[in-house]
């Protein structure tokens, strides 16, 4: 590295560093081999996590969060890759996960192996476009052969033994293989619960996973419904309700309050008591309307204060407050109700 000492128009000294002389842009075969090397490096990272004997990877985020996994899509998404070819492999793994849901590690390892073979062909002087055309032709031959040797396995909603075997195969290399059969059965039951068999479509948004601290893998269970991790608004409300009829509300469920842009002047105790009575009567009327429609539980997107809580307890109407928007929608879908 060379440098020149000089001064500006005011006589202040500064140094011009000449380090660009040593830099040069890679072109042609040299650039192609550099890209192949980057892809092979990414492929070699996930190669050791392939298969049932694969090793788990410990990934630490910039925030210090630790992830332990041998799932290809998880590892690739957590890696901070700056190389553009490496990012392409990350997208390849992600699209495989979105479309198929399995084989995320294998597809990256396969891509790395194909590029490794392509490098040998480049050394023989074969043009990259020719190599690409050859891969496309080989792909067509391979797919045709697979179609020839493949079998159609019939299954039905009553006989899920083959689906269970497929789930076991997919989960064989995951961290849940200690409870292999249990998780495979949970996966099959969860998919069949939301699958549209006529359209051959599964809406994965309808399947939610809730993690709880403590316990062990064997405690995992499938709940055919909606889990809302909320307590009843008052500790004296009943903990269990059978044959519940839920009123799903996205409006405020509490005594009416003056808005911030309105002004209310109270000069005497009597006026304050009248206001308090009006608020109480209005809210009791809201509770009566809810009970008249047959509901015995309220799920509200908004919160309510201690006064409303006390009135709800007096009228024996259990309520859940601060329920999230997505949970409200899932509750409406599960109960076939209206918001």
């Amino acid at each position: 590295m060379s440098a020149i000492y000089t001064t500006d128009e005011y006589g202040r000294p500064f140094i011009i560093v000449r380090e660009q002389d040593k830099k040069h842009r890679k072109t042609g075969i040299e650039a192609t081999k550099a890209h192949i090397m980057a892809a092979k490096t990414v492929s070699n990272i996930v190669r050791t996590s392939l298969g049932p004997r694969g090793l788990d990877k410990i990934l630490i985020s910039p925030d210090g969060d630790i992830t332990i996994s041998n799932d290809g899509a998880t590892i690739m998404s957590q890696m901070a890759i700056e190389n553009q070819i490496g990012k392409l492999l990350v997208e390849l793994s992600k699209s495989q996960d979105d479309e198929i849901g399995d084989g995320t590690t294998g597809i990256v390892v396969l891509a790395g192996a194909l590029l490794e073979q392509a490098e040998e062909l480049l050394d023989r002087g074969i043009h990259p476009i020719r190599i690409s055309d050859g891969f496309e032709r080989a792909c067509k031959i391979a797919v045709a052969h697979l179609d020839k040797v493949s079998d159609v396995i019939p299954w039905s909603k009553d006989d899920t033994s083959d689906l269970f075997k497929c789930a076991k195969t997919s989960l064989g290399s995951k961290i849940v293989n200690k409870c292999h059969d249990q998780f495979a059965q949970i996966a099959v039951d969860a998919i069949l619960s939301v699958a549209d068999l006529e359209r051959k479509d599964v809406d994965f948004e309808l399947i939610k996973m809730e993690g709880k601290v403590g316990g062990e893998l064997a405690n995992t269970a499938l709940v055919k419904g909606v889990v809302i991790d909320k307590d009843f608004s008052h500790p004296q409300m009943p903990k269990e309700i059978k044959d519940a009829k839920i009123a799903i509300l996205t409006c405020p469920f509490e005594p009416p309050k003056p808005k911030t842009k309105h002004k209310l002047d109270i000069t005497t105790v009597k006026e304050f008591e009248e206001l308090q009575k009006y608020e109480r009567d209005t809210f009791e009327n809201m509770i009566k309307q809810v009970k008249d429609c047959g509901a015995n539980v309220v799920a509200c997107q908004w919160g309510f204060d201690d006064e409303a809580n006390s009135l709800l307890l007096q009228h024996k109407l259990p309520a859940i407050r601060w329920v999230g928007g997505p949970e409200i929608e899932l509750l409406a879908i599960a109960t076939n109700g209206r918001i």
Side-chain angles (χ1 to χ4, degrees):
M1 184 172 70
S2 59
I4 299 174
Y5 176 83
T6 185
T7 57
D8 61 10
E9 63 268 25
Y10 299 107
R12 290 176 298 200
F14 64 92
I15 298 171
I16 300 174
V17 179
R18 289 184 177 178
E19 59 176 4
Q20 299 295 328
D21 295 343
K22 295 182 180 179
K23 290 187 177 180
H24 66 280
R25 188 182 293 274
K26 291 180 179 178
T27 58
I29 298 297
E30 190 181 355
T32 307
K33 285 190 174 183
H35 292 326
I36 290 174
M37 178 58 67
K40 280 164 61 178
T41 304
V42 175
S43 173
N44 288 335
I45 290 171
V46 296
R47 181 173 291 179
T48 53
S49 64
L50 183 66
R53 301 280 180 186
L55 304 174
D56 291 346
K57 303 288 184 191
I58 298 178
L59 304 162
I60 303 175
S61 72
D63 298 330
D65 296 330
I66 296 175
T67 306
I68 300 175
S69 176
N70 68 351
D71 179 58
T74 306
I75 295 169
M76 298 290 283
S77 62
Q78 296 277 344
M79 288 166 59
I81 298 173
E82 294 184 359
N83 184 278
Q84 297 303 318
I85 303 303
K87 287 181 179 177
L88 278 177
L89 288 180
V90 173
E91 290 299 317
L92 175 70
S93 177
K94 186 175 180 297
S95 61
Q96 175 76 4
D97 191 32
D98 293 340
E99 289 292 323
I100 309 298
D102 192 26
T104 52
T105 308
I107 197 167
V108 175
V109 173
L110 178 62
L114 289 173
L115 287 171
E116 196 173 338
Q117 296 297 317
E119 192 174 13
E120 295 180 7
L121 297 174
L122 285 172
D123 291 336
R124 296 183 188 177
I126 302 174
H127 196 276
I129 293 178
R130 296 243 173 187
I131 298 171
S132 176
D133 290 341
F135 278 145
E136 286 186 11
R137 290 186 184 182
C139 177
K140 289 177 182 176
I141 294 169
V143 170
H145 182 68
L146 286 174
D147 288 337
K148 203 179 291 182
V149 300
S150 63
D151 292 326
V152 176
I153 300 173
W155 68 276
S156 65
K157 211 165 184 177
D158 302 323
D159 181 19
T160 59
S161 58
D162 291 324
L163 287 178
F164 176 73
K165 291 175 185 175
C166 290
K168 275 189 75 171
T169 304
S170 296
L171 294 171
S173 60
K174 303 295 182 282
I175 200 167
V176 297
N177 57 5
K178 294 176 183 175
C179 308
H180 210 158
D181 293 351
Q182 180 187 353
F183 275 86
Q185 193 61 53
I186 286 174
V188 172
D189 292 343
I191 292 295
L192 290 178
S193 297
V194 300
D196 187 344
L197 298 180
E198 291 181 4
R199 291 173 52 204
K200 295 184 178 179
D201 184 40
V202 178
D203 186 2
F204 290 106
E205 293 295 320
L206 295 176
I207 301 175
K208 299 292 180 186
M209 284 186 286
E210 290 282 343
K212 290 293 177 185
V213 177
E216 53 188 23
L217 280 175
N219 296 337
T220 306
L222 174 67
V223 178
K224 292 188 177 180
V226 180
V227 176
I228 299 174
D229 191 11
K230 300 281 183 185
D231 293 327
F232 281 118
S233 58
H234 198 287
Q236 293 181 11
M237 288 178 179
K239 302 298 181 189
E240 184 177 342
I241 298 172
K242 292 185 178 179
D243 299 326
K245 294 180 180 177
I246 306 170
I248 306 170
L249 305 176
T250 54
C251 56
F253 189 58
E254 61 181 350
K257 303 290 181 186
K259 303 297 181 185
T260 52
K261 61 184 178 181
H262 294 104
K263 187 179 178 184
L264 187 64
D265 292 325
I266 298 173
T267 55
T268 64
V269 175
K270 187 179 178 184
E271 287 179 353
F272 179 76
E273 288 174 349
E274 285 178 358
L275 175 65
Q276 203 172 24
K277 185 176 182 301
Y278 168 74
E279 288 181 352
R280 184 186 181 95
D281 291 344
T282 307
F283 187 58
E284 284 182 342
N285 185 44
M286 292 168 68
I287 294 174
K288 184 176 179 297
Q289 288 177 346
V290 170
K291 295 188 82 170
D292 287 346
C293 74
N296 56 4
V297 182
V298 174
C300 184
Q301 192 173 3
W302 293 60
F304 33 81
D305 56 18
D306 294 338
E307 182 189 358
N309 235 347
S310 177
L311 288 170
L312 286 167
L313 181 66
Q314 289 175 24
H315 289 80
K316 297 180 180 179
L317 184 62
I320 311 165
R321 56 185 169 182
W322 300 120
V323 181
E327 292 171 327
I328 283 277
E329 291 179 6
L330 286 172
L331 188 60
I333 292 169
T335 56
N336 199 19
R338 289 185 301 169
I339 297 173

